[in-house]
Amino acid sequence: MARLLHNLLLLTVGLTLKIRVMGYWSLIYGYCALCTGVALLKLGWNIILRPSTTFQWTVRETPPACLNDTSLGTHCYVRIKESGLRFHYVAAGERGKPLMLFLHGFPEFWFSWRHQLREFKSEFRVVAVDMRGYGESDLPSSTESYRLDYLVTDIKDIVEYLGYNRCFLVGHDWGGIIAWLCAIHYPEMVTKLIVLNSPHPCVFTDYALHHPSQMLKSSYYFFFQLPYFPELMLSINDFKALKSLFTSRSTGISCKGRWLTTEELEAYLHALSQPGALTGALNYFRNVFSVLPLSQSEVKSPVLLLWGERDAFLEQDMAEACRLYIRNHFRLNIISGASHWLQQDQPDIVNTLIWTFIKEGEGRKNYRNL
């Protein structure tokens, strides 16, 4: 009788798990279909309004001068033996000084860290990487090549090939996700973790599933699961959607004095207009649902989390919830009036807060608003 009850319990648990998994994927694909319908309506409206220009876009062949600004550092390359991939990075500061490694988000590249490269090169070997599939780094063709475990291993390998075993790791957006995961899986490698507008992956998953407003803001995650169509929608009207991300009132950089110049915007379009560039960037999203939730989640490194109050894509409540997963000193700063593009929007404040965090001891947990 006891064995029968035990078998029934196992069967019930297994069935419940299968139902939850089916529900999870049904939600993803259902929302994906909804987002696709909305995108098709937008495409149709664009064709009606701009029939002659909708399907026109220009590949930027020549990099703008700002990408060769010597004050930002030296352009370098490293080939990782294990993966066979070549990575591009910009480095400044003396070799042998502590390594500060910067990981960009979507749809960015190393250039998004220009203000921090100038600021921290006096005391650090600063390195801003073009992550796998971005900028001048290699662009694997298969979607499978952008699994999270590969992306995390890339960073570990880059640190080692630069001649270091530890670093101050700084990440924004998708770079923040990879930075969180590096700190979780390779705690000995991360001296201190600094994350900008990117919640702990477990926080994001749980919060989005329980807050429809965040699910709506994250609708692009579902739309990007489709092949080819998202690339088309980001390219039409000469990459109008990409331009809007950085420049519109709702999603763009908030601080008027920090709006992207025409040349700086062209730098982004130069990187993202290259053949295959958008597919590489979107492939990050196309692997994310297969690895969540995480089997490991604790962060043992000291953490600074910086959050732009006016982030159009991520709700602020997730920032405080990250505290649950950190087993060390945690400092959270909410920056008033700042957008999602925090290190470009409010670089002076961001740089000051990073300096303070780097130099302070690992005392009691701290929280304050700016």
Side-chain angles (χ1 to χ4, degrees):
M1 184 66 178
R3 178 172 292 183
L4 178 61
L5 290 173
H6 177 71
N7 290 337
L8 284 173
L9 179 61
L10 290 177
L11 182 64
T12 302
V13 170
L15 184 61
T16 302
L17 180 60
K18 287 182 179 179
I19 292 172
R20 290 180 64 185
V21 169
M22 288 177 63
Y24 175 72
W25 286 107
S26 296
L27 173 65
I28 290 171
Y29 286 118
Y31 203 13
C32 180
L34 177 62
C35 294
T36 303
V38 172
L40 284 169
L41 289 173
K42 288 182 178 179
L43 178 59
W45 187 244
N46 265 282
I47 293 172
I48 293 171
L49 292 179
R50 307 175 188 88
S52 61
T53 61
T54 295
F55 296 104
Q56 292 183 6
W57 55 85
T58 303
V59 175
R60 274 65 174 176
E61 301 286 353
T62 304
C66 60
L67 294 182
N68 294 312
D69 183 348
T70 55
S71 71
L72 297 178
T74 304
H75 291 259
C76 308
Y77 300 86
V78 58
R79 186 171 295 279
I80 304 300
K81 183 178 179 181
E82 289 77 2
S83 67
L85 297 179
R86 189 184 79 155
F87 290 87
H88 168 256
Y89 62 93
V90 173
E94 293 181 21
R95 296 178 186 272
K97 286 189 174 181
L99 175 63
M100 182 177 286
L101 185 63
F102 296 96
L103 310 180
H104 63 79
F106 171 88
E108 299 173 294
F109 65 121
W110 71 267
F111 187 66
S112 68
W113 297 110
R114 58 196 178 280
H115 302 294
Q116 287 68 45
L117 288 170
R118 291 192 183 100
E119 177 71 19
F120 294 99
K121 65 182 180 182
S122 60
E123 292 192 27
F124 292 90
R125 177 65 171 173
V126 289
V127 172
V129 180
D130 276 340
M131 294 169 65
R132 176 186 295 227
Y134 278 93
E136 295 183 49
S137 291
D138 280 351
L139 199 163
S141 57
S142 71
T143 304
E144 180 74 9
S145 297
Y146 296 83
R147 282 174 20 193
L148 284 176
D149 54 334
Y150 293 156
L151 302 176
V152 172
T153 302
D154 284 345
I155 306 310
K156 174 179 176 292
D157 291 341
I158 288 170
V159 170
E160 292 175 353
Y161 273 77
L162 290 172
Y164 292 84
N165 54 28
R166 294 178 67 82
C167 69
F168 291 83
L169 189 58
V170 189
H172 168 251
D173 186 76
W174 255 105
I177 294 175
I178 304 305
W180 282 112
L181 294 173
C182 285
I184 291 168
H185 293 286
Y186 301 107
E188 71 286 349
M189 186 185 78
V190 182
T191 303
K192 288 191 175 184
L193 176 65
I194 301 161
V195 179
L196 288 70
N197 282 78
S198 183
H200 187 290
C202 290
V203 170
F204 177 77
T205 305
D206 183 68
Y207 188 91
L209 288 173
H210 292 88
H211 294 81
S213 56
Q214 180 57 57
M215 186 73 80
L216 184 62
K217 290 181 178 180
S218 303
S219 59
Y220 59 94
Y221 267 76
F222 301 90
F223 175 57
F224 290 166
Q225 302 308 306
L226 295 173
Y228 309 120
F229 191 39
E231 284 92 329
L232 173 65
M233 291 300 295
L234 291 173
S235 301
I236 61 173
N237 296 312
D238 198 30
F239 305 101
K240 181 181 178 181
L242 291 176
K243 296 173 187 175
S244 179
L245 279 175
F246 294 109
T247 62
S248 73
R249 287 190 177 184
S250 59
T251 65
I253 293 172
S254 299
C255 181
K256 187 175 181 179
R258 295 294 181 179
W259 288 351
L260 294 183
T261 65
T262 300
E263 185 181 48
E264 289 169 343
L265 186 57
E266 280 298 308
Y268 281 97
L269 297 179
H270 169 74
L272 293 164
S273 67
Q274 303 307 311
L278 284 175
T279 298
L282 292 170
N283 279 341
Y284 281 63
F285 295 91
R286 290 165 178 158
N287 281 277
V288 69
F289 291 116
S290 61
V291 296
L292 296 175
L294 303 177
S295 57
Q296 292 176 255
S297 59
E298 287 191 355
V299 177
K300 298 177 182 178
S301 306
V303 177
L304 170 65
L305 179 58
L306 303 179
W307 201 275
E309 180 190 33
R310 294 183 59 188
D311 192 316
F313 309 102
L314 299 166
E315 295 190 354
Q316 186 177 310
D317 288 346
M318 287 190 285
E320 178 61 31
C322 294
R323 183 184 302 275
L324 299 172
Y325 295 94
I326 297 166
R327 302 294 177 260
N328 206 313
H329 173 50
F330 175 57
R331 185 178 185 88
L332 169 63
N333 292 102
I334 308 297
I335 301 179
S336 299
S339 68
H340 178 74
W341 319 104
L342 188 54
Q343 75 272 30
Q344 301 179 78
D345 197 331
Q346 299 284 354
D348 295 336
I349 293 176
V350 167
N351 293 345
T352 298
L353 292 172
I354 292 176
W355 276 123
T356 301
F357 176 67
I358 287 171
K359 294 179 181 297
E360 72 183 0
E362 298 179 8
R364 64 182 180 82
K365 294 183 179 181
N366 208 334
Y367 177 92
R368 64 187 173 94
N369 288 295
L370 286 184

